[in-house]
DNA sequence: GGTTTGATGTCAGACACTGACATCAGGTCG
DNA sequence: CGACCTGATGTCAGTGTCTGACATCAAACC
């Protein structure tokens, strides 16, 4: 028999999401989260850098997934096609996480502090994507722009996806958004 | 003679930027900022919602400027052309603020917490721009995408602008970024 | 001149977060 | 087998952010 219950980190994440949903983010203290998980406040801070981080784990699967997806794209593709291919993979990634994503997003949307942290995660994805593109030979500022565009598409499509009452195909939403973005940016290019 | 020195808010902003530059953001306490401004910590929190906000004032001139610029654009323009026109105005807005922008950006870049807050301000600009476009009849998700694209262009061009050792024309950098974005998004659209 | 207003000060306190040290089951090594 | 080390946790004390409640008092207003 081991000295402690296993999966302390997971228990903290579960307890936090539950308490945030029940009482709200601000009304929940770290001590309460730790208490529900059978741990102390100090231990919470050994697993998460701060209170918000419990919803944004460092072991962000999406980040690593992104890198792998990027490497899987055939090399001689235009930047935006590469991004589109990566987004397709991301769509599959979320396939079985719709319910969880919805619950989590509800908590985040209800708390400006959490929304703020979410933006950091998006910025991290943008940086990851941009670096990946540069590694594939895309120059600046093309790489940064394509990365920003890709994450923008993801943001918007993801927002639509979790907002629907029925689960749709995230990939379709993203493909539509990519098409819309192309239309928007090319329109009026050479008027007349 | 009035009871207090005038412009308490401005004194706090000046004191904060100076102290953040000298000792860093985390090493500076709110009490120190208030002290240098001849005020108390409590008064600081009457002017700013939190410690970071002293670098991101609510009376954000850029936000209001954006709205006005948006209204100044002739109505029958394509979304991205509207955004481009607004960005041109924004470029002028920063014309005389290069030095200040550089100092401020140096402080922000040195502190993740401040960078995080900056992302919120960008998100606010995106929302403002998106809403303005929708008010002009642009539908969704085109409005959101154009807004995201515009802010992305601003972010990247602004980053280049403050990174240079000599002041260049922000408008040119943004125009180039818009052109690059169009190139990136249209490339590979209908491959041969 | 009395009253109201509003920016500030004072004080107490909750809570986020951190450093230092203690504990103790389980694995390691001699 | 026993001494030792490791690592996850607990305990405690402390700093700093941020907030609510109440006090102050020049200036404006009537």
């Amino acid at each position: 028999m081991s000295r402690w219950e296993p999966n302390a980190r997971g228990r903290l994440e579960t307890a936090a999401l539950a308490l945030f949903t029940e009482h709200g983010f601000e009304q929940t203290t770290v001590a309460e989260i730790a208490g529900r998980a059978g741990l102390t406040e100090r231990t919470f801070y050994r697993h998460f850098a701060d209170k918000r981080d419990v919803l944004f784990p460092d072991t962000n699967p999406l980040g690593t997934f992104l890198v792998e997806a990027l490497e899987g794209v055939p090399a001689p593709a235009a930047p935006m096609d590469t991004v589109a291919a990566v987004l397709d993979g991301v769509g599959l990634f979320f396939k079985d996480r719709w319910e969880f994503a919805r619950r989590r997003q509800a908590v985040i949307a209800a708390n400006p502090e959490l929304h703020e942290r979410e933006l950091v995660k998006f910025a991290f994805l943008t940086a990851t994507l941009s670096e990946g593109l540069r590694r594939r030979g895309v120059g600046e500022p093309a790489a940064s722009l394509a990365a920003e565009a890709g994450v923008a598409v993801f943001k918007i499509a993801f927002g639509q996806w979790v907002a629907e009452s029925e689960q749709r195909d995230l990939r379709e939403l993203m493909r539509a958004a990519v098409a819309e973005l192309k239309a928007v940016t090319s329109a009026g290019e050479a008027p007349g």
Side-chain angles (χ1 to χ4, degrees), chain A:
Chain A
M1 180 191 72
S2 74
R3 186 172 181 188
W4 298 284
E5 295 300 312
N7 194 24
R9 188 189 182 92
R11 268 152 49 216
L12 286 167
E13 287 175 6
T14 304
L17 183 57
L19 286 168
F20 291 167
T21 304
E22 288 172 29
H23 311 310
F25 176 78
E26 290 190 354
Q27 281 63 46
T28 303
T29 69
V30 172
E32 286 166 2
I33 299 168
R36 179 178 287 210
L39 297 165
T40 65
E41 187 181 344
R42 191 66 186 87
T43 297
F44 177 96
Y45 285 108
R46 289 202 177 92
H47 287 277
F48 305 101
D50 57 47
K51 185 179 167 185
R52 307 179 216 172
D53 235 40
V54 71
L55 284 184
F56 302 94
D58 288 342
T59 61
N60 187 345
L62 187 53
T64 54
F65 180 88
L66 212 76
V67 176
E68 290 168 14
L70 204 49
E71 285 167 0
V73 180
M80 206 56 204
D81 289 340
T82 305
V83 169
V86 168
L87 289 180
D88 243 42
V90 170
L92 281 179
F93 176 85
F94 279 103
K95 191 102 184 175
D96 304 319
R97 311 186 192 215
W98 188 65
E99 268 304 336
F100 177 74
R102 276 171 65 88
R103 270 193 300 141
R104 186 164 165 285
Q105 210 60 22
V107 173
I108 292 173
N111 293 96
E113 290 184 65
L114 292 174
H115 186 247
E116 188 169 2
R117 178 57 54 88
E118 190 186 30
L119 293 174
V120 172
K121 299 298 171 171
F122 280 140
F124 177 73
L125 291 181
T126 305
T128 303
L129 200 49
S130 172
E131 194 198 322
L133 288 171
R134 261 178 280 126
R135 208 195 306 277
R136 293 167 67 93
V138 179
E140 285 291 10
S144 292
L145 284 163
E148 291 273 4
V151 173
V153 163
F154 171 70
K155 265 191 215 181
I156 289 162
F158 187 81
Q160 296 175 326
W161 188 59
V162 296
E164 306 269 349
S165 55
E166 293 274 319
Q167 179 173 2
R168 294 176 58 189
D169 188 338
L170 177 55
R171 283 177 306 171
E172 279 176 19
L173 289 166
M174 289 197 293
R175 282 174 191 155
V178 169
E180 186 84 20
L181 177 64
K182 286 184 175 182
V184 165
T185 51
S186 68
E189 201 172 16

